[in-house]
């Protein structure tokens, strides 16, 4: 069986768009295991909070645990923002076409600022 020649596209061939944003490894990929480990720990904290409510624990003790889980989620969020800036924004800055580079940088910075805005609400 021979391999088809893909060097020239047929004029009637459909154009297939590839979502490169989601196809390439993300900035956090090298730290994925650490993020997953931390999120599983937070998941355990949240289950513990639910158990405290079920057991009618003192409200201030529950609020203390909610604050700890919230702080842990914020730490994960800040790490992901840092990874986004270090990978996605810097990656956009390496675009060789100056016009496309400016657009990509603007888009990636806007994504980061929008995400930070959601975290602060």
């Amino acid at each position: 069986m021979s391999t088809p020649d893909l060097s020239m596209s047929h004029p009637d061939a459909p154009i297939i768009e590839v979502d490169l944003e989601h196809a390439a490894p993300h900035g956090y990929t090298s730290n994925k295991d650490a993020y997953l480990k931390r999120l599983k720990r937070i998941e355990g904290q949240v289950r513990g909070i639910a158990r405290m409510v079920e057991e009618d624990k003192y409200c201030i003790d529950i609020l203390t645990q909610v604050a700890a889980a919230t702080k842990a989620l914020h730490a994960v969020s800040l790490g992901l923002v840092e990874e986004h800036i270090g990978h996605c924004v810097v990656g956009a800055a390496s675009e060789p076409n100056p016009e496309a580079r400016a657009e990509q940088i603007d888009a990636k910075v806007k994504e980061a600022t929008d995400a930070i805005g959601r975290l602060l609400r």
Side-chain angles (χ1 to χ4, degrees):
M1 184 184 281
S2 65
T3 305
D5 179 13
L6 301 176
S7 61
M8 298 185 67
S9 60
H10 187 277
D12 296 328
I15 297 173
I16 300 172
E17 292 186 30
V18 177
D19 185 0
L20 294 177
E21 180 179 23
H22 296 100
H26 299 291
Y28 65 84
T29 300
S30 63
N31 296 318
K32 184 177 178 177
D33 290 340
Y35 281 114
L36 288 172
K37 183 178 178 181
R38 185 65 182 128
L39 288 167
K40 287 182 187 304
R41 212 174 304 138
I42 294 167
E43 181 181 20
Q45 283 180 289
V46 173
R47 278 195 307 271
I49 294 167
R51 213 171 18 259
M52 290 176 78
V53 171
E54 287 173 356
E55 296 170 359
D56 293 319
K57 298 294 181 183
Y58 185 55
C59 54
I60 297 302
D61 293 340
I62 296 169
L63 289 170
T64 299
Q65 293 306 311
V66 168
T70 301
K71 184 176 178 182
L73 280 172
H74 282 163
V76 169
S77 299
L78 287 174
L80 290 170
V81 167
E82 184 177 349
E83 301 275 7
H84 175 75
I85 292 168
H87 180 263
C88 300
V89 176
V90 170
S94 66
E95 165 63 42
N97 179 321
E99 290 177 15
R101 179 175 50 241
E103 287 178 23
Q104 288 180 19
I105 291 170
D106 288 346
K108 295 301 176 183
V109 169
K110 180 160 178 26
E111 285 176 349
T113 55
D114 289 349
I116 292 167
R118 287 189 298 274
L119 291 170
L120 295 176
R121 283 187 214 133

